[in-house]
Amino acid sequence: PRLEDMMKYELLPWNEDQFDKLSELEAAEHLGHAYLIQGQKGLGKESLAKGFSAYLFCQKPNKKTACGECQACHLFSAGTHPDFKFIGLDEGSKQIKIEQVRDSRSFLANTPLMGEYKILLIRSAEKMNTNAANALLKNLEEPAPGTLLFLLSHQPGLLMPTIRSRCQQIKISRPNE
């Protein structure tokens, strides 16, 4: 995926309730370590995860957004924040491979460099091959402190049941007209 596309996010109105629930959990120190964000294509699953990630990294967050001006915001929008990692389909590939997940393991094992969280975002999580999914299970079963995983899927039924069961579910519904 292109870096420019990777860092774009805009919280869509129908996802504000989900964002609010996540920020309330974080404020109460009850944020889980893994979330499966599911819903049809085009409903803003990725922008919700990225927007919330930016909000968590931000040194001066507003009510529902990152300030966009602090060092953490600049690094995040440039795609160079040291505590954020993205996994998706490589160009021309139909699957997320084990190497991609293994590369994220050492990232997740280290403590956050700039704040409280290390965040791994997996786009099209249902596209992980069996070996990649099994490699991810280790991170889901024994997360390091400060680890946060966002798995995005428009076909969550294709994910291994053991992965689904270890994630808190966020369902994005189609908005009313």
Side-chain angles (χ1 to χ4, degrees):
R2 292 188 358 226
L3 193 60
E4 313 80 80
D5 297 337
M6 203 176 97
M7 299 324 300
K8 285 184 188 152
Y9 60 90
E10 179 183 342
L11 187 60
L12 300 169
W14 55 85
N15 291 339
E16 286 180 10
D17 287 348
Q18 303 294 351
F19 186 98
D20 291 346
K21 285 178 191 158
L22 287 169
S23 56
E24 286 165 16
L25 288 168
E26 200 273 333
E29 298 182 9
H30 291 301
L31 199 59
H33 70 280
Y35 289 89
L36 171 58
I37 303 176
Q38 53 188 300
Q40 292 177 310
K41 281 185 181 179
L43 292 181
K45 297 180 293 293
E46 191 168 333
S47 62
L48 172 63
K50 286 179 184 171
F52 189 67
S53 297
Y55 172 81
L56 288 178
F57 291 143
C58 183
Q59 294 153 339
K60 299 177 277 188
N62 304 320
K63 186 176 185 303
K64 285 189 185 176
T65 58
C67 72
E69 297 173 11
C70 67
Q71 181 190 16
C73 284
H74 285 296
L75 289 170
F76 189 77
S77 64
T80 57
H81 197 289
D83 296 327
F84 184 81
K85 186 164 179 68
F86 173 86
I87 295 177
L89 290 173
D90 286 335
E91 202 166 314
S93 181
K94 289 181 170 41
Q95 291 185 323
I96 295 173
K97 297 179 180 73
I98 190 169
E99 297 80 28
Q100 293 172 273
V101 175
R102 279 193 183 140
D103 287 347
S104 69
R105 274 184 143 150
S106 57
F107 164 79
L108 291 173
N110 295 319
T111 55
L113 295 173
M114 288 187 66
E116 291 182 54
Y117 297 98
K118 279 266 204 212
I119 300 174
L120 175 64
L121 175 72
I122 303 177
R123 180 197 290 157
S124 301
E126 73 278 355
K127 303 276 188 188
M128 282 185 288
N129 66 29
T130 306
N131 293 335
N134 283 322
L136 181 68
L137 270 175
K138 184 94 172 134
N139 292 110
L140 290 171
E141 291 167 348
E142 301 168 18
T147 299
L148 184 56
L149 285 87
F150 287 113
L151 283 69
L152 311 180
S153 178
H154 59 275
Q155 295 180 295
L158 297 178
L159 280 165
M160 288 172 38
T162 47
I163 288 181
R164 287 196 313 265
S165 70
R166 285 167 177 77
C167 296
Q168 294 185 42
Q169 313 279 313
I170 298 177
K171 291 184 170 81
I172 306 290
S173 302
R174 280 182 61 181
N176 298 329
E177 294 294 323

